[in-house]
Amino acid sequence: EGGIHLAGVSKRFRTRQGETLALDALDLDVPEGEFLAVVGPSGCGKSTLLRLVAGLMPASSGSVQVFGRDVAGPVTELGIVFQQPVLLDWRDVLGNVLFQAGIRGLSEAAFRDRALALLRQVGLEDFADRYPHELSGGMRQRASIARALLHDPPLLLMDEPFGALDALTREQMRLDLEALWMRSRKTVLFITHSVDEAVLLADRVAVMSPRPGRIERLLQVDLPRP
Ligand code: ADP
Ligand code: ADP
């Protein structure tokens, strides 16, 4: 079971002003192989949802399961892409992608061919030996997508991956991501505030309400796929 299962999940943050309820008794099932987009206004709990699924912080109550197991700490069998690509300045693009193997205690040399193939898929084959400061924002984000996919994770989490990009780059990235995902059929949780992007990419769209922490609607997308 490669999906995501949330039941009655709440998340409270204690702040100086009191308490913020970021997620309010949320139920959500993402079956294995589904591409689910989560849309909603800023502050409705999208990032919190993703962080709980990734095991980057604990829920206040309720059950979060990934791959059929309770999440009790950082989940290593997934790939994450954040809005701001975080790359190591002192490593070239190939080195940054290979870092994903390194931090898992795997041999970087063994992943070299796969890393180069992924860089080809994201259109960075000619930039493997460039350094992050030599790349545009879109290219850095492509590199971080390649890095997230290096260990072939069954689950990919993306938090506004195109949020920092200009419209043209965004459109091209969307097309590329669609092509990549079509080939891999991973389970994807994709956070965005763009309804267009959600509808174009996803199988289903969860719409979160401005009253933080609730899913208002779950929509099935029936667009013909290439
Ligand atoms: P986005 O809307 O793109 O998800 P935000 O600007 O809301 O991003 O939040 C960015 C980061 O700041 C996230 O890691 C979030 O958890 C954290 N954050 C958001 N609101 C607060 C807050 N009131 N206090 C502390 N951290 C916060
Ligand atoms: P979104 O990603 O939809 O913008 P977030 O999940 O970042 O929303 O935030 C949901 C709510 O929780 C917001 O009110 C935000 O200010 C609050 N929040 C998020 N992270 C923190 C944090 N680390 N500390 C305190 N409040 C937070």
Side-chain angles (χ1 to χ4, degrees):
E1 217 254 274
I4 301 169
H5 180 73
L6 280 81
V9 171
S10 296
K11 179 68 185 178
R12 283 175 212 91
F13 291 106
R14 226 178 301 278
T15 59
R16 229 170 305 167
Q17 293 79 14
E19 248 190 12
T20 304
L21 187 58
L23 294 177
D24 184 8
L26 198 90
D27 298 321
L28 179 65
D29 265 303
V30 188
E32 183 171 354
E34 180 177 81
F35 192 126
L36 179 83
V38 180
V39 299
S42 188
C44 70
K46 304 184 295 297
S47 295
T48 300
L49 170 64
L50 182 132
R51 276 154 210 270
L52 293 182
V53 169
L56 298 177
M57 59 188 188
S60 304
S61 57
S63 148
V64 181
Q65 292 189 327
V66 175
F67 310 127
R69 295 192 306 274
D70 287 331
V71 171
V75 180
T76 54
E77 317 95 304
L78 51 75
I80 310 191
V81 179
F82 293 103
Q83 177 168 353
Q84 297 293 343
V86 184
L87 299 173
L88 304 173
D89 292 335
W90 64 91
R91 282 193 157 205
D92 63 14
V93 167
L94 178 62
N96 267 283
V97 174
L98 288 173
F99 191 68
Q100 184 75 260
I103 53 172
R104 280 155 216 280
L106 304 169
S107 148
E108 294 196 6
F111 279 87
R112 197 185 146 85
D113 287 348
R114 178 167 167 80
L116 289 169
L118 281 165
L119 286 175
R120 199 156 44 243
Q121 283 182 41
V122 299
L124 286 182
E125 62 269 43
D126 296 333
F127 295 86
D129 60 356
R130 301 294 186 87
Y131 285 81
H133 72 268
E134 301 177 89
L135 306 182
S136 69
M139 292 162 92
R140 282 199 288 272
Q141 196 54 299
R142 288 163 188 275
S144 61
I145 291 173
R147 181 181 58 192
L149 294 171
L150 183 70
H151 55 309
D152 199 18
L155 174 60
L156 186 59
L157 307 181
M158 306 184 111
D159 191 352
E160 298 264 6
F162 312 144
L165 306 177
D166 64 85
L168 261 180
T169 310
R170 214 180 156 96
E171 175 63 10
Q172 189 54 50
M173 294 282 289
R174 182 184 68 67
L175 293 171
D176 290 350
L177 180 64
E178 191 167 33
L180 252 181
W181 174 68
M182 286 302 156
R183 277 196 293 270
S184 68
R185 273 287 161 188
K186 294 177 186 308
T187 310
V188 183
L189 183 63
F190 182 88
I191 286 176
T192 179
H193 58 247
S194 160
V195 174
D196 284 358
E197 217 165 79
V199 168
L200 285 165
L201 284 168
D203 296 317
R204 274 196 310 162
V205 180
V207 183
M208 293 191 70
S209 66
R211 273 265 311 261
R214 299 206 61 97
I215 291 176
E216 206 165 66
R217 268 177 295 172
L218 264 172
L219 309 168
Q220 190 75 35
V221 180
D222 287 314
L223 281 182
R225 302 291 180 189

